[in-house]
Each structure stands twice: as structure tokens, then as C-alpha cells.
């Protein structure tokens, strides 16, 4: 099923404008995440699609037909919420068959159980059929809730932070299972989360929202590699991108800061957002975005153990002949598994770089850095990306 959201607006009764003007096209069978900070309008969007709220303006169509005047029950949508209220006095099998036993399409017990068991085989909960919800784990309860939504053969599945009550390890497993299930059953799915890692791992496409506005709607890797604006660049990525204010000097064609300069000639001309500008910059200052992996420890400098300080990313390409761009005193080294995060100060701004966890770099050490120039980003002060 395709879903088309056009110019959707929602202002709550208290005057709060939760959705400003949202347009999203979701392709048949896609798994799309609504991602963004708390309060950005994710749940509002989901509830409007489900029909639990009325929009202030705009339209929602499913397979080309407007549904905004349809009752939630007639939208053919399955929903799973954060608190996936299973009926505690019913067994798992009774919980799953329940939606088939009520309403207009009421089925006999035998018929309903036959259907339920087919789905329970897919979600791997057949063995739990006779258990009560309180006697199974959180992850199993979540699978029961999803199975219960699926037996109704919804055209679309809406999941609102369905994993937020689960522990970290279980979240990883269940989210992979959800993806497998909805793909196998070819159900168009919208999944709300505020967790970028969850969105990146599960989605075909991500809608990144902020303050009721879609900031970027794209495939996961593009949000990271090709952010539409400063908000997207800052939201996506862990550790977060470094943002440094730099002045532009049109005479020397350099972006300058007290810590280091960036020659415009070192950038990749094809990556300027406005080709007409021909790689020229016409403002006095920019916010320069440098991902932690693009601050490269210069392993060619004396005192840095090249073997152990093997770098993440294109370090080798920049090592060797060229001198380091700047030096920084490392404030702390944070281990995050395979990588370590180096924390240091650049011109009064807290900056981060990532290196291989085996790098022999300690707090207090003065470390020479290079910058992977072509991979930086330039933003105007209003957040518009120019490079
Ligand atoms: P998210 O799901 O992204 O956290 P929501 O869609 O729940 O965000 O909320 C978007 C904004 O609308 C928030 O600022 C929230 O406080 C506000 N909001 C949500 N529900 C209501 C309501 N019933 N009345 C007034 N404001 C609301």
C-alpha cells in the first residue's frame, strides 16, 4: 500500500502548531521511520494517519484514496504502541485471536485459531500459546502484540516507539525481527523512534523531523553522508559532528579560525550546493561541520605510534608528506569498543575525533591533526547547507 501525506497540518486546541506542513510519499512495502527529538511531531503524525486525530489542513491518502474522513476502523491499519496492552487474563492464543472474534468479520473459534496459529508460527510464539502475558518476557509480549496487529491483515502497520520498554540487547533482536516480519508479509510500516541508531538499522527510508517540519526524507546513509542542513548534520551521528565557526577571507580564499585554516581550493568543487556559485563563498562567516572521523590524527609526526595509532577512515591518504594542520591537547579518551573518542578543544569549542581503540593516545598528550577537507560541510548561520 502506498501512502501519500500532502501538506498535513495540525494545530492543537491550545493553539500549539505541532505539524506545520508535512508532505511524505511512502512506497508500497517500505519500512519508514519517523525520527526526531521529543516533541517534534512524530506521534501527532502517526495518530493523524491512524485517524485518532483530525488534521487542521492537508490530506492523507492510502493507495491514492483520501482517508481523512474515514473512521480509524475503516483505514485498515494495525497499530502497536509503546504500552502494548495485552489482555492479562487471556492466554497468548486468546490475545491473538481476539480481534478475529469481534466486529463485523467475526469468525468461529476454530477458524480464528487456525489463522492465529499461522501468524504465530511466523513470529515464533507458537510455544507460548497457553501462557498468560505476565508469564512471558517483554520481548515475547512485544511479539504477541505485533502478531495481534498482523492477524487483522492490515494494509499498514504503525508502531509508536514499540521497543522503548525493552532492554538494550532485546531491542536489537526485536527490531531485526520486526523488519524481517513486515518485509516477509509485505506490510507498509511506519515506525516512530527518537533513537537514530534504531532508525538507521531498521528503515528503508527515514523522515527526520524537527519542530513540526520534515528536515530530510531519505535513505539512512544519505542522512548521514549528505545532510540537508545543519539540524540533520548535528542530529545524525554519534559521536556528534564538530561545528566550528570560521570566517571567510575572499582575498586569500581561506576559511579561517584561530585554530586552523581551510583553503577553499582543498574542497571538492562538485559538492557545492549551488553550482552557479562555482565554488565561491559570498558570506563573511560559516559554520563548518567536521565529522569526528574527518579529524585525522597525523601518524607521521614524531611521538605518534603509527602502528598502534592506525586510523579510522582515510587517514593513510593524508599521512606521510603533509604537515599536520593543527595540534590539540587531548582532554580525555573515551573507549566505545572498537573505537576511542578523543576529546579536545578547538578554539573554545569542544571537539571530538575517533581513532582505533588500540591507538596509544592518552589524555594530556599534544596530538597533531589533519582534516579530511573534501568531506567537511559548510552551513550558513540559518542552517542552510552550502557545501
Ligand atoms: P513526538 O511524538 O515527536 O514526541 P508529539 O507529536 O507527541 O511529539 O507532539 C508534538 C508537539 O505537540 C509537542 O510540542 C507536544 O507538546 C504538542 N502536543 C501533543 N499533544 C498535544 C495536545 N493534545 N494538546 C496540545 N499540544 C500537544
Amino acid at each position: 500500500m502506498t501512502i501519500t501525506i500532502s501538506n498535513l497540518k495540525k494545530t492543537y486546541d491550545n493553539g500549539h502548531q505541532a505539524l506545520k506542513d508535512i508532505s511524505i510519499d511512502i512506497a508500497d512495502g517500505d519500512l519508514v521511520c519517523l525520527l526526531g527529538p521529543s516533541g517534534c511531531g512524530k506521534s501527532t503524525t502517526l495518530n493523524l494517519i491512524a485517524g485518532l486525530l483530525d488534521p487542521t489542513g492537508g490530506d492523507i491518502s492510502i493507495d491514492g484514496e483520501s482517508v481523512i474522513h474515514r473512521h480509524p476502523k475503516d483505514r485498515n491499519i494495525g497499530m502497536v504502541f509503546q504500552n502494548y496492552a495485552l489482555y492479562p487474563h487471556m492466554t497468548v492464543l486468546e490475545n491473538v485471536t481476539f480481534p478475529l472474534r469481534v466486529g463485523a468479520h467475526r469468525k468461529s473459534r476454530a477458524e480464528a485459531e487456525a489463522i492465529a496459529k499461522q501468524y504465530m508460527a511466523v513470529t515464533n510464539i507458537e510455544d507460548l500459546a497457553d501462557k498468560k502475558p505476565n508469564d512471558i518476557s517483554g520481548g515475547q509480549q512485544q511479539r504477541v502484540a505485533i502478531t495481534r496487529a498482523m492477524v487483522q491483515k492490515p494494509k499498514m502497520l504503525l508502531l509508536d516507539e514499540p521497543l522503548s520498554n525493552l532492554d538494550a540487547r532485546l531491542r536489537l533482536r526485536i527490531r531485526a525481527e520486526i523488519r524481517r516480519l513486515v518485509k516477509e508479509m509485505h506490510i507498509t510500516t511506519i515506525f516512530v523512534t527518537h533513537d537514530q541508531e534504531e532508525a538507521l538499522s531498521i528503515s528503508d527510508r527515514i523522515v527526520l523531523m524537527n519542530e513540526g517540519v520534515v528536515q530530510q526524507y531519505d535513505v539512512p546513509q544519505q542522512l548521514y553522508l549528505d545532510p540537508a542542513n545543519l539540524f540533520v548534520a548535528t542530529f545524525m551521528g554519534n559521536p556528534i559532528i564538530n561545528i566550528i565557526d570560521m570566517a571567510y577571507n575572499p582575498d586569500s580564499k581561506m576559511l579561517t579560525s584561530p585554530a586552523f585554516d581551510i583553503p577553499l581550493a582543498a574542497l571538492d568543487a562538485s559538492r557545492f550546493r549551488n553550482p552557479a556559485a562555482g565554488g565561491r563563498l559570498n558570506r563573511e562567516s560559516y559554520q563548518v561541520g567536521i565529522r569526528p572521523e574527518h579529524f585525522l590524527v597525523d601518524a607521521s609526526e614524531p611521538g605518534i605510534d603509527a602502528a598502534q595509532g592506525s586510523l579510522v577512515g582515510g587517514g593513510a591518504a593524508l599521512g606521510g608528506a603533509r604537515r599536520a594542520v593543527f595540534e590539540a591537547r587531548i582532554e580525555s579518551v573515551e573507549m566505545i569498543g572498537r573505537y576511542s573518542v578523543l576529546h579536545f578543544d578547538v578554539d573554545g569549542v569542544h571537539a571530538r575525533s575517533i581513532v582505533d581503540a588500540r591507538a596509544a593516545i592518552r589524555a594530556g598528550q599534544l596530538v597533531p591533526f589533519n582534516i579530511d577537507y573534501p568531506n567537511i560541510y559548510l552551513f550558513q548561520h540559518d542552517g542552510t547547507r552550502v557545501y
Side-chain angles (χ1 to χ4, degrees), residues 12-14 16 18 36-45 160 192:
Y12 283 106
D13 291 343
N14 65 359
H16 182 76
S38 178
C40 72
K42 304 179 295 292
S43 296
T44 302
T45 308
D160 195 353
V192 166

Side-chain angles (χ1 to χ4, degrees), residues 120-188:
M120 288 165 71
V122 179
T123 52
N124 217 350
I125 55 169
E126 296 156 293
D127 294 350
L128 308 176
D130 299 327
K131 299 220 154 124
K132 296 272 174 68
N134 289 336
D135 299 327
I136 61 178
S137 72
Q140 290 168 331
Q141 289 178 25
Q142 184 59 289
R143 264 184 282 168
V144 175
I146 291 168
T147 316
R148 189 176 60 180
M150 284 183 171
V151 290
Q152 304 167 67
K153 292 206 181 116
K155 289 180 171 183
M156 192 184 315
L157 195 59
L158 306 181
L159 303 152
D160 195 353
E161 303 255 4
L163 309 181
S164 55
N165 292 335
L166 306 181
D167 70 60
R169 204 171 275 269
L170 202 55
R171 285 176 79 115
L172 294 183
R173 220 185 66 219
I174 302 284
R175 77 190 186 201
E177 261 173 39
I178 290 178
R179 179 164 172 92
R180 180 179 61 78
L181 279 173
V182 299
K183 285 284 153 187
E184 223 168 272
M185 298 191 176
H186 198 79
I187 301 176
T188 307

Side-chain angles (χ1 to χ4, degrees), residues 14-310:
N14 65 359
H16 182 76
Q17 202 183 2
L19 292 187
K20 295 195 174 126
D21 188 340
I22 298 242
S23 296
I24 312 163
D25 274 320
I26 297 176
D28 182 32
D30 259 8
L31 197 172
V32 169
C33 270
L34 303 182
L35 173 68
S38 178
C40 72
K42 304 179 295 292
S43 296
T44 302
T45 308
L46 208 68
N47 289 329
L48 286 166
I49 297 169
L52 303 175
L53 283 176
D54 289 324
T56 315
D59 198 11
I60 299 169
S61 357
I62 296 181
D63 279 346
E65 238 179 87
S66 175
V67 296
I68 52 169
H69 298 298
R70 276 198 214 154
H71 193 269
K73 277 202 197 108
D74 303 324
R75 295 191 185 196
N76 214 339
I77 285 172
M79 288 199 79
V80 180
F81 291 97
Q82 206 174 107
N83 307 308
Y84 33 90
L86 298 173
Y87 304 110
H89 59 286
M90 293 186 189
T91 65
V92 165
L93 181 63
E94 286 163 347
N95 264 284
V96 176
T97 50
F98 183 77
L100 300 170
R101 300 274 289 141
V102 297
H105 304 291
R106 202 187 169 107
K107 297 191 186 328
S108 72
R109 174 181 295 273
E111 228 182 327
E113 288 188 355
I115 295 169
K117 282 180 178 161
Q118 278 173 17
Y119 283 87
M120 288 165 71
V122 179
T123 52
N124 217 350
I125 55 169
E126 296 156 293
D127 294 350
L128 308 176
D130 299 327
K131 299 220 154 124
K132 296 272 174 68
N134 289 336
D135 299 327
I136 61 178
S137 72
Q140 290 168 331
Q141 289 178 25
Q142 184 59 289
R143 264 184 282 168
V144 175
I146 291 168
T147 316
R148 189 176 60 180
M150 284 183 171
V151 290
Q152 304 167 67
K153 292 206 181 116
K155 289 180 171 183
M156 192 184 315
L157 195 59
L158 306 181
L159 303 152
D160 195 353
E161 303 255 4
L163 309 181
S164 55
N165 292 335
L166 306 181
D167 70 60
R169 204 171 275 269
L170 202 55
R171 285 176 79 115
L172 294 183
R173 220 185 66 219
I174 302 284
R175 77 190 186 201
E177 261 173 39
I178 290 178
R179 179 164 172 92
R180 180 179 61 78
L181 279 173
V182 299
K183 285 284 153 187
E184 223 168 272
M185 298 191 176
H186 198 79
I187 301 176
T188 307
T189 301
I190 305 179
F191 187 111
V192 166
T193 181
H194 62 271
D195 177 347
Q196 56 156 312
E197 195 217 329
E198 190 158 281
L200 288 168
S201 71
I202 201 175
S203 314
D204 293 308
R205 296 174 79 89
I206 295 173
V207 181
L208 180 53
M209 300 174 65
N210 190 36
E211 295 183 351
V213 176
V214 173
Q215 303 291 320
Q216 189 166 354
Y217 176 37
D218 220 327
V219 295
Q221 63 269 36
Q222 284 301 98
L223 269 91
Y224 186 77
L225 296 174
D226 197 14
N229 56 40
L230 180 62
F231 175 83
V232 179
T234 309
F235 193 86
M236 304 304 294
N238 184 23
I240 70 166
I241 193 169
N242 301 290
I243 301 291
I244 294 158
D245 264 319
M246 296 186 78
Y248 181 60
N249 181 337
D251 298 325
S252 62
K253 295 197 165 38
M254 299 275 251
L255 286 154
T256 65
S257 76
F260 54 80
D261 298 339
I262 297 178
L264 204 57
L267 304 187
D268 173 354
S270 70
R271 287 185 42 168
F272 278 89
R273 278 292 159 115
N274 177 4
R280 281 194 305 267
L281 295 177
N282 52 14
R283 311 235 164 197
E284 288 173 354
S285 73
Y286 290 86
Q287 304 212 64
V288 179
I290 304 174
R291 293 246 181 242
E293 60 270 33
H294 298 138
F295 273 140
L296 305 164
V297 175
D298 188 337
S300 68
E301 294 277 314
I304 297 293
D305 183 332
Q308 290 180 67
S310 63

